[in-house]
Amino acid sequence: MPSKDTQKHYLEKELLDLLKTDSSIFEFIQNGSLDGVWYWDLEQPENEWMSPKFWTELGYDPKEMPHKVAAWQNIMYEDDLKASMESFQRHCDEPNCPYDQVVRFKHKDSSTVYIRCRGIVIRNKEGKPIRMLGAHNNITKSISLERELNARLTEYNQQLKAKNKELEQFTYITSHDLQEPLNTIIAFSRLLQESQKNLDPIGQKSVEAIVDSAHRMKDFIISLLEYSRIGRNTGKTAIHFPKLIEDLKIDLHGIISTKNATVEYTGISLELSGFKADIYKLFQNVIVNGIKYTDKDILPLITIHSEEQDNHYLFSIKDNGIGIDAEQYEKIFEMFQRLHPRDQYSGTGIGLSYCKKVVELHQGKIWLESEVGKGTTFYFTLAKQ
Ligand code: ADP
């Protein structure tokens, strides 16, 4: 009976000898948790010793598999074979270029097995590649897991997008449809107001309250409609600064002159690509707030500044108004959150949540710094593209 050693393939024996003498080879094998080892004779390239584990991972009986390159090449996916040969060539030509590939094999049961295949070329004294030692890791399970997770994530994202769209549609339709009965209420209460002299004091007060509430409700509905339309109005266009601020100042002439306010732009001249109507309203909301939330005896001064960052422009809008307590910084960006009663400062509480949505639509962030009694600076970034 032949001894165990003589049964060994010559390449296996050679590798075992190499392992005894060269510790880097041993470390190389150790460092991967392996599902197969191979040792390739580059001088007789048809010969390659494959460890039994490689074949069992692929469902084959190692005893039946020849130590020939053709044996594994026949069950490797064609594209991957081509890619791994190119990578092998690169590794031979340039030792610093690692041979590290994920390749697919056909399992005996026809399923796909993903193998991470790493290798190092062994050279003779003249530097000529004569052998190649490689290690396999079966990563099929992690790939399947990753795929499953990705598939679920995509599914959840699609569901979320659909729900968001549904919600936006709902907001749009309800606010749109609510306008009609509300306009009727406003029209009839105007008629009632005109004939107020025929009403007793309670009747007169009631009509005034109805008119006031109806107008407030109209403001809410219009703001909600605008909110649900963010990013839907038109496509992105080029927006120029300070041109946008100059246009805004013309549109805000009423409030600026009533409050004796000054609005100045101290930033750079710039152009960004965005949803113009939404960005216009973003600046309008913050500027109007800056003018609105000031003490009566203060002349509002609004300073708009801008500077360039890598992928964004950073804007700041500073006012000399009443300021905001640090505890409220987060709250004011939530829908319908107001810090002051209506009889003190009018508003819907939608303006800043609108601003936040516009900023996020342009891959930016919005935040503020403030000192009560001194003023507030709102900062936001907008992506250049
Ligand atoms: P609105 O102004 O319609 O109430 P916003 O969403 O624009 O709604 O603002 C939310 C709240 O944040 C306001 O009610 C106000 O209390 C506070 N606020 C916003 N801007 C300023 C500012 N520049 N200075 C002080 N308070 C402000």
Side-chain angles (χ1 to χ4, degrees):
M1 231 180 100
S3 78
K4 250 193 170 179
D5 248 26
T6 50
Q7 280 174 353
K8 282 196 194 324
H9 191 270
Y10 76 98
L11 284 172
E12 184 180 7
K13 280 195 275 179
E14 188 177 315
L15 174 60
L16 289 173
D17 287 339
L18 200 61
L19 276 168
K20 283 177 203 154
T21 53
D22 188 343
S23 65
S24 69
I25 303 289
F26 176 65
E27 266 164 40
F28 174 78
I29 295 176
Q30 252 204 69
N31 283 341
S33 64
L34 303 177
D35 294 312
V37 174
W38 48 273
Y39 190 53
W40 190 8
D41 183 349
L42 299 179
E43 291 170 315
Q44 300 177 72
E46 67 281 8
N47 291 342
E48 183 169 345
W49 176 81
M50 312 293 284
S51 70
K53 183 115 193 276
F54 169 72
W55 292 114
T56 49
E57 286 292 313
L58 295 169
Y60 293 92
D61 180 353
K63 284 192 223 92
E64 287 172 10
M65 303 314 289
H67 289 286
K68 294 286 172 198
V69 166
W72 60 263
Q73 286 193 345
N74 285 341
I75 55 166
M76 188 189 265
Y77 279 56
E78 232 171 85
D79 291 350
D80 298 354
L81 179 59
K82 194 166 165 267
S84 69
M85 283 305 151
E86 284 166 6
S87 175
F88 160 69
Q89 201 49 57
R90 269 196 304 276
H91 175 63
C92 286
D93 299 342
E94 179 47 70
N96 288 336
C97 191
Y99 178 82
D100 190 345
Q101 296 276 113
V102 173
V103 291
R104 290 162 299 167
F105 283 99
K106 280 179 222 102
H107 192 277
K108 200 175 180 186
D109 66 8
S110 299
S111 63
T112 303
V113 180
Y114 289 82
I115 299 276
R116 182 179 175 194
C117 181
R118 285 168 292 171
I120 45 164
V121 144
I122 295 159
R123 295 165 194 272
N124 63 12
K125 282 192 199 109
E126 288 74 43
K128 183 179 170 240
I130 51 162
R131 299 282 187 268
M132 188 166 181
L133 171 65
H136 281 154
N137 292 104
N138 187 345
I139 55 166
T140 313
K141 272 193 194 133
S142 31
I143 293 236
S144 323
L145 204 70
E146 194 182 313
R147 286 202 168 166
E148 199 182 313
L149 279 176
N150 278 340
R152 277 201 204 166
L153 220 63
T154 314
E155 197 185 317
Y156 288 147
N157 267 337
Q158 277 165 351
Q159 282 174 1
L160 206 69
K161 268 192 191 156
K163 285 267 170 263
N164 268 342
K165 212 168 173 183
E166 218 173 85
L167 208 69
E168 277 176 12
Q169 204 90 17
F170 174 78
T171 318
Y172 177 78
I173 291 167
T174 43
S175 36
H176 197 264
D177 290 357
L178 275 174
Q179 287 209 89
E180 203 188 303
L182 191 63
N183 285 338
T184 312
I185 295 173
I186 289 174
F188 276 101
S189 43
R190 273 210 194 107
L191 281 179
L192 267 177
Q193 243 180 345
E194 279 163 22
S195 59
Q196 250 188 6
K197 44 193 170 310
N198 305 326
L199 298 171
D200 62 17
I202 294 179
Q204 285 180 14
K205 269 205 167 308
S206 306
V207 173
E208 272 165 28
I210 292 171
V211 172
D212 181 50
S213 295
H215 276 112
R216 264 193 305 120
M217 192 158 170
K218 197 166 169 65
D219 284 348
F220 266 117
I221 288 171
I222 289 171
S223 301
L224 271 177
L225 255 178
E226 284 173 351
Y227 184 88
S228 68
R229 278 184 187 142
I230 293 174
R232 288 176 174 216
N233 294 317
T234 49
K236 285 188 171 181
T237 50
I239 304 164
H240 301 271
F241 286 83
K243 175 83 173 68
L244 184 128
I245 304 297
E246 281 157 17
D247 291 347
L248 242 172
K249 275 166 75 171
I250 295 170
D251 287 352
L252 295 179
H253 176 72
I255 183 169
I256 291 176
S257 61
T258 313
K259 291 272 225 160
N260 248 323
T262 304
V263 177
E264 57 183 24
Y265 183 77
T266 59
I268 51 171
S269 174
L270 65 94
E271 179 190 302
L272 64 87
S273 165
F275 294 97
K276 195 168 184 177
D278 301 327
I279 289 189
Y280 189 87
K281 191 99 184 65
L282 153 72
F283 278 86
Q284 180 178 318
N285 283 346
V286 182
I287 293 170
V288 168
N289 276 353
I291 298 175
K292 186 165 76 170
Y293 295 105
T294 44
D295 281 328
K296 281 194 191 75
D297 48 340
I298 295 271
L299 295 180
L301 171 63
I302 311 296
T303 312
I304 304 144
H305 193 70
S306 64
E307 57 187 65
E308 189 170 2
Q309 298 182 327
D310 287 347
N311 302 314
H312 293 81
Y313 287 109
L314 168 68
F315 293 91
S316 63
I317 302 180
K318 183 176 192 288
D319 67 49
N320 57 343
I322 55 173
I324 301 168
D325 196 284
E327 278 183 16
Q328 313 290 349
Y329 286 3
E330 298 286 317
K331 186 177 163 189
I332 56 169
F333 291 106
E334 287 168 29
M335 186 87 97
F336 305 126
Q337 293 296 335
R338 308 200 66 236
L339 307 179
H340 306 94
R342 237 181 334 111
D343 53 5
Q344 205 179 350
Y345 296 102
S346 64
T348 57
I350 299 176
L352 286 178
S353 41
Y354 180 100
C355 294
K356 189 165 184 260
K357 194 173 167 194
V358 174
V359 167
E360 283 168 1
L361 183 71
H362 293 84
Q363 291 86 47
K365 285 195 176 116
I366 184 165
W367 70 99
L368 68 133
E369 282 170 7
S370 185
E371 208 177 320
V372 175
K374 292 220 163 143
T376 304
T377 307
F378 280 90
Y379 296 90
F380 51 86
T381 52
L382 299 174
K384 287 176 181 171
Q385 290 297 321

